Amino acid sequence: MSRAAPVDVTVLTPSFGYGRFIEDGVLSVTGQEGLRVQHVVQDGGSTDETVDVLRKHDDEVEWWSEPDRGQSDALNKGLEKASGRWIAWLNADEFYLPGGLAALVREGDRTGADLVYGEVVYVDVEGRLTRLVSKHDFSAFVLRSYGCYIPSVSTIFRRSSLPPEPWDASLRMNMDWDLYLRLNSTNARFEFVKYAVGAFRLHPEQLTAAPFSQFADVYETLHARHHIDTSNNRKGRWLHRAMKVQSAGYVRELRTMRFRSADMRWFRSERARRDVDSFLRTNYRSRYRPTSPAAGAPGPR
């Protein structure tokens, strides 16, 4: 990408100690086609192989490695270097599926939305599919009463719609829910794209693997800040399920079971690219736009 060319999307990656995963994310961003992408990695001073991996991809990634105050602080620092009109958030242990960012940008440009989100696949440590987590059209009631059902790995934000320092550095987790709630309170427009955009990797070291009790204070803070009525949780959960039924989300989840254990790292091998192409065609035929001849993989760099 020419540094002088206008950028459609800036992908922000906060990073610390995930050197064994981060190259998957870098390759998945590099392989996005149909739009101009800037990838900014804000690393917190990792002492593992992270910096060596980033140096290997100097031509594809703009990166800094320096102490920070955590994930939110890293995202805010990265945003200061962003030049894209859309902002995406890709954690260092996550990666994108082919065509994901382009699908979100097309919808955002078509509708004038402030935030666009899609569906997400869960993968294991090796990047093999465990399940599809389907989504549905936006509901402010579900967001407030059920919780953070919008996956950050499958979301883009219109740059001009983001507040100063969008991510609250005082929160240890759920900074994504906090941001969604703040945007919703300003009547920002949310749009859903029926497409699997990103892969969320499940592994024991991630913050979300910790017991819920460790973050009770965070939930209390957010409930108070956004005046969340927790007595509506059951109603929110049932509406979330009903809206998934309406969008045929459970049907897509069942279809996906045939691909369980498939390698979703489409940028690593031709076999993985064929499997991911087949998964996307099966669930999103009307939206999927293969861009590589014979579904060939770009391969490791």
Side-chain angles (χ1 to χ4, degrees):
M1 180 191 73
S2 169
R3 296 301 173 94
V7 174
D8 295 307
V9 182
T10 296
V11 176
L12 305 180
T13 296
S15 162
F16 185 73
Y18 278 170
R20 65 196 183 283
F21 297 136
I22 198 169
E23 189 171 46
D24 284 350
V26 171
L27 295 177
S28 77
V29 172
T30 303
Q32 297 295 307
E33 297 183 339
L35 73 174
R36 295 169 296 278
V37 183
Q38 173 195 30
H39 193 183
V40 174
V41 176
Q42 190 72 42
D43 179 66
S46 296
T47 57
D48 63 355
E49 65 267 42
T50 296
V51 171
D52 290 334
V53 173
L54 294 174
R55 285 195 180 115
K56 179 181 171 183
H57 294 280
D58 264 335
D59 292 338
E60 299 147 337
V61 181
E62 299 172 38
W63 62 273
W64 288 260
S65 185
E66 58 192 14
D68 57 44
R69 294 182 293 136
Q71 185 180 47
S72 292
D73 187 38
L75 286 164
N76 290 329
K77 284 184 175 182
L79 183 62
E80 294 174 358
K81 295 133 183 169
S83 56
R85 55 195 180 88
W86 291 97
I87 302 297
W89 167 8
L90 181 75
N91 288 322
D93 53 352
E94 300 169 336
F95 57 88
Y96 289 123
L97 299 186
L101 288 179
L104 296 181
V105 170
R106 282 195 300 268
E107 186 68 6
D109 288 345
R110 184 184 72 82
T111 63
D114 301 293
L115 181 154
V116 190
Y117 65 96
E119 301 189 324
V120 62
V121 295
Y122 283 9
V123 299
D124 64 14
V125 173
E126 297 178 345
R128 297 189 176 277
L129 182 69
T130 62
R131 60 179 294 215
L132 167 71
V133 182
S134 63
K135 302 299 173 183
H136 54 72
D137 287 340
F138 178 66
S139 166
F141 184 80
V142 172
L143 180 66
R144 290 180 59 81
S145 303
Y146 171 73
C148 190
Y149 73 94
I150 299 174
S152 62
V153 66
S154 299
T155 298
I156 61 171
F157 307 86
R158 189 179 294 277
R159 172 67 182 271
S160 59
S161 300
L162 288 173
E165 296 195 342
W167 293 277
D168 185 347
S170 73
L171 298 175
R172 292 177 294 143
M173 67 174 296
N174 272 351
M175 58 285 290
D176 49 353
W177 192 30
D178 176 60
L179 177 55
Y180 301 152
L181 290 167
R182 280 191 284 146
L183 289 172
N184 181 61
S185 72
T186 64
N187 295 316
R189 181 170 178 173
F190 290 59
E191 289 290 341
F192 166 59
V193 173
K194 196 178 293 183
Y195 191 84
V197 175
F200 179 86
R201 186 182 252 118
L202 300 168
H203 59 92
E205 296 174 33
Q206 63 195 164
L207 194 62
T208 52
F212 172 84
S213 59
Q214 291 189 17
F215 304 103
D217 60 319
V218 175
Y219 284 95
E220 290 175 3
T221 296
L222 292 179
H223 290 164
R225 177 182 296 176
H226 299 286
H227 310 290
I228 301 295
D229 183 354
T230 56
S231 67
N232 284 326
N233 180 259
R234 181 175 294 181
K235 292 179 183 177
R237 183 167 62 251
W238 280 106
L239 180 58
H240 173 61
R241 291 172 178 171
M243 294 185 74
K244 283 184 66 166
V245 170
Q246 186 178 39
S247 74
Y250 292 116
V251 173
R252 292 191 296 281
E253 291 179 9
L254 285 172
R255 282 197 200 119
T256 297
M257 294 303 293
R258 61 180 274 210
F259 299 98
R260 192 168 184 179
S261 297
D263 187 354
M264 301 301 282
R265 299 177 304 161
W266 53 279
F267 40 81
R268 290 291 186 181
S269 71
E270 291 185 9
R271 170 62 184 273
R273 180 64 193 248
R274 286 194 298 269
D275 286 346
V276 172
D277 281 342
S278 181
F279 158 75
L280 292 171
R281 282 196 303 269
T282 296
N283 284 309
Y284 313 102
R285 185 177 300 274
S286 65
R287 193 177 296 274
Y288 178 50
R289 303 181 183 182
T291 53
S292 298
R301 290 163 172 78

